[in-house]
Amino acid sequence: MGTSDADAPQVGPGIRRLRRALDLTLADVAARAGVSAPFLSQVENGRSRPSMGSLQRIADALDTTAVQLLASADPPRPVDVVRGGSASVSEGEGVREARMRPLVRGHQRLHALEFTGDHDWGREYRHRGDEILYVADGSAEVEADGSVYRLDRGDTLYCAAELPHRWRPLEAGTRVLVVGIADGVRVTDAGGG
């Protein structure tokens, strides 16, 4: 799935705008996110791409989400085609590699992401809007509302707004599509690994 850096979403300007709107310095956000100020500066100026983990930590430091930062990378479009080989944000290597690819670009009324590879079971999500998880390939485990669900290829799980949930792939080659209302999300550390 080779994509060039030119195809990658440019999240830097959105990070800078939000940081400035919150009246925070580079050093403030870098310290909160656990990244260096020079690295954050390079991200803001488009000279470096953050990994999925770094993007999530920067989003947490700005009290937003990686989804919202990715959405702010492009203006909204009334019609947009996102090709299968479009750029994704990745983390890790080999069997621990995780990829997140936006399926809807720009700040729209919904978000849609494709996840492949490993996914952090320790991150619990709570969305302000409804969301569905659809397993396109493989299988996944989802914990929601005190129950654990196994989802196989073709299965969908619906999560109502504000319902805490987390998920992980159960086998190599799993692809999970996450579609929801783009009103925001809060991520907490569930303390699991």
Side-chain angles (χ1 to χ4, degrees):
M1 188 188 291
T3 58
S4 71
D5 284 345
D7 294 335
Q10 296 297 316
V11 296
I15 291 171
R16 182 185 311 110
R17 279 191 303 275
L18 183 54
R19 176 180 61 78
R20 288 178 176 168
L22 295 171
D23 200 26
L24 297 170
T25 66
L26 265 170
D28 292 336
V29 175
R32 289 181 185 181
V35 300
S36 72
F39 171 72
L40 183 58
S41 176
Q42 289 177 346
V43 168
E44 284 190 359
N45 291 307
R47 291 190 307 270
S48 185
R49 282 181 56 195
S51 67
M52 192 162 52
S54 294
L55 183 61
Q56 288 173 335
R57 289 191 305 275
I58 292 167
D60 291 346
L62 294 169
D63 197 29
T64 190
T65 67
V67 171
Q68 294 297 334
L69 290 177
L70 286 167
S72 71
D74 291 307
R77 302 167 185 166
V79 175
D80 189 24
V81 175
V82 178
R83 300 290 178 194
S86 65
S88 59
V89 178
S90 63
E91 179 79 45
E93 294 181 22
V95 296
R96 297 288 302 168
E97 183 179 31
R99 299 180 81 73
M100 175 178 67
R101 183 172 68 96
L103 302 177
V104 174
R105 294 183 288 198
H107 189 75
Q108 307 289 5
R109 287 183 279 180
L110 64 84
H111 67 261
L113 301 166
E114 175 187 61
F115 291 90
T116 55
D118 199 26
H119 190 74
D120 186 1
W121 183 249
R123 290 183 74 84
E124 183 176 82
Y125 297 87
R126 182 181 301 214
H127 303 270
R128 293 183 191 138
D130 297 349
E131 180 178 84
I132 62 165
L133 285 80
Y134 171 77
V135 178
D137 290 307
S139 61
E141 182 176 59
V142 181
E143 183 181 299
D145 202 26
S147 296
V148 176
Y149 304 91
R150 179 189 169 100
L151 303 178
D152 293 307
R153 184 173 187 235
D155 292 346
T156 301
L157 180 130
Y158 164 83
C159 280
E162 297 296 336
L163 185 68
H165 61 282
R166 60 186 178 153
W167 67 271
R168 64 178 163 198
L170 293 176
E171 61 187 89
T174 296
R175 277 189 321 132
V176 176
L177 307 181
V178 177
V179 180
I181 306 301
D183 197 15
V185 61
R186 289 190 305 274
V187 179
T188 59
D189 186 349

